[in-house]
Amino acid sequence: MTEVSHQQWGEVSSLGSVDLWVLKSNLLRVEVLTLGAIIRSVCSRGKDGQMKDIVLGYDDLEGYVSDKRYLGAVVGRVANRIAGGCFVVDRKEYQLDINNGPNALHGGLRGFNKAIWLATAVEGGVQLSLTSPDGDQGYPGEVQVSVTYALQGETLTADYQARSTKTTPINLTNHSYFNLAGQGAADIYDHQVSISAQSYLPVDDTSIPTGEIRAVAGTPFDLIEPVLIGPRLKEVPGSGFDHNFCLSFPGDTYAERYAARVHHPASGRVLEVSTSQPGVQFYTANFLDGSMTGKGGARYGKHSSFCLETQNWPDSVNQ
């Protein structure tokens, strides 16, 4: 049985009140905010029997309102990057706000992560819904979107749905940052990762895929067998992993697939990810720099956490 409860958590001027929903099974405790459909915390027991929060976040609402790193949020309309913030749909060109070098990232300057979602209780969880008006952040069509978080035992499911009045790109993901040693731990170098992908997408110097689908074999991106993150980060070009791993390909049957596993031997905690999406962006918090104060006064630095963002391939609207 999963206990579901909620309470008011704060107020955002000009937007309204924000609620905190708690999903609790005998193995996990998950907190969800109606702001940004944010996963605020996931508390899990280690082999020492201690419950620890393994998701980065903030102690108060102001932290999330001013956050620029999408901690725990659902990002959209389009997660990841769109080259030049530009795309063509039905022979019409759309120009989005540029918010990441020369590109558009994670839905725009005021994406889904900054909206207050409407919450309703469902069995074992909460459904959060949002209406994005036609022209929102430059995108065509009114979009009705929802995400349902449901907890059963030690499995947390995120189920996304979207419907639009016009043809429009949609690519939703959750942007939780995990550290299985507990949020606030210094780094993830002692975590082991495996990703069930034979190919990945190389990127240019602005993190847009080059168009090549490259085999992982013989590269630092071969994570099919578990590898220790710390040593492998020294082999990856740039400041760390921020790449799409290809789980399925155009034309493949739409089905849920096992995607990734992260193990923290010291605590015994394991995170396993399955998804019906064709890609997973493995990101090692390369742009956290210690300037953010998180829960319990923790300073979140580079490589202090990882994200496994299940999604469509980046810039797919143009490629």
Side-chain angles (χ1 to χ4, degrees):
M1 271 297 283
T2 300
E3 293 175 32
V4 180
S5 61
H6 66 97
Q7 64 191 62
Q8 188 176 350
W9 205 59
E11 192 94 18
V12 180
S13 58
S14 80
L15 281 180
S17 69
V18 174
D19 287 351
L20 173 77
W21 285 70
V22 179
L23 318 181
K24 191 176 178 186
S25 73
N26 57 340
L27 294 165
L28 286 181
R29 184 181 188 277
V30 179
E31 293 183 346
V32 174
L33 295 176
T34 52
L35 175 70
I38 287 165
I39 293 177
R40 184 179 173 267
S41 73
V42 175
C43 291
S44 162
R45 212 175 294 284
K47 63 185 181 185
D48 60 0
Q50 296 294 307
M51 289 289 275
K52 277 195 178 173
D53 184 359
I54 58 170
V55 169
L56 276 59
Y58 301 97
D59 283 327
D60 55 35
L61 190 52
E62 179 48 44
Y64 289 102
V65 170
S66 58
D67 172 67
K68 293 181 171 61
R69 297 298 179 200
Y70 309 94
L71 265 62
V74 168
V75 289
R77 287 185 189 187
V78 175
N80 219 307
R81 295 166 180 87
I82 294 177
C86 190
F87 61 89
V88 176
V89 167
D90 293 339
R91 296 193 296 278
K92 182 177 177 185
E93 184 173 296
Y94 293 89
Q95 180 63 55
L96 311 173
D97 291 326
I98 302 302
N99 63 340
N100 183 251
N103 306 314
L105 176 72
H106 289 335
L109 294 171
R110 287 199 69 80
F112 291 174
N113 60 305
K114 295 300 184 189
I116 293 181
W117 298 53
L118 181 68
T120 51
V122 296
E123 188 176 348
V126 58
Q127 181 180 70
L128 300 125
S129 55
L130 184 68
T131 299
S132 173
D134 188 8
D136 188 10
Q137 306 302 302
Y139 288 96
E142 180 185 279
V143 171
Q144 303 279 345
V145 61
S146 72
V147 58
T148 302
Y149 294 121
L151 179 61
Q152 190 170 18
E154 57 186 2
T155 300
L156 176 66
T157 304
D159 181 31
Y160 305 89
Q161 297 189 20
R163 178 173 295 186
S164 178
T165 58
K166 296 179 183 175
T167 305
T168 189
I170 293 278
N171 188 21
L172 302 174
T173 194
N174 178 276
H175 208 297
S176 287
Y177 291 72
F178 294 93
N179 188 313
L180 301 185
Q183 74 82 31
D187 57 59
I188 49 165
Y189 300 149
D190 59 349
H191 288 49
Q192 295 172 348
V193 63
S194 58
I195 298 179
S196 184
Q198 304 283 341
S199 310
Y200 78 103
L201 302 183
V203 293
D204 67 17
D205 56 8
T206 72
S207 295
I208 293 289
T210 61
E212 179 190 0
I213 300 170
R214 187 179 295 174
V216 299
T219 77
F221 298 89
D222 186 349
L223 304 176
I224 293 170
E225 295 299 323
V227 301
L228 202 56
I229 291 178
R232 185 56 61 94
L233 279 171
K234 294 174 181 164
E235 302 171 33
V236 178
S239 53
F241 287 100
D242 192 7
H243 297 77
N244 179 81
F245 286 77
C246 307
L247 304 172
S248 64
F249 292 85
D252 285 357
T253 311
Y254 185 82
E256 186 178 315
R257 293 173 171 82
Y258 174 78
R261 183 179 192 268
V262 181
H263 177 214
H264 182 241
S267 69
R269 290 187 185 87
V270 174
L271 174 67
E272 292 184 336
V273 179
S274 299
T275 182
S276 58
Q277 291 297 284
V280 59
Q281 186 89 359
F282 179 43
Y283 172 54
T284 47
N286 312 323
F287 299 110
L288 299 189
D289 58 7
S291 61
M292 298 154 57
T293 303
K295 289 181 278 196
R299 306 292 280 192
Y300 298 143
K302 182 178 176 181
H303 302 158
S304 62
S305 50
F306 65 90
C307 304
L308 287 164
E309 304 160 61
T310 56
Q311 58 189 293
N312 210 333
W313 298 1
D315 196 37
S316 54
V317 68
N318 290 316
Q319 301 194 42

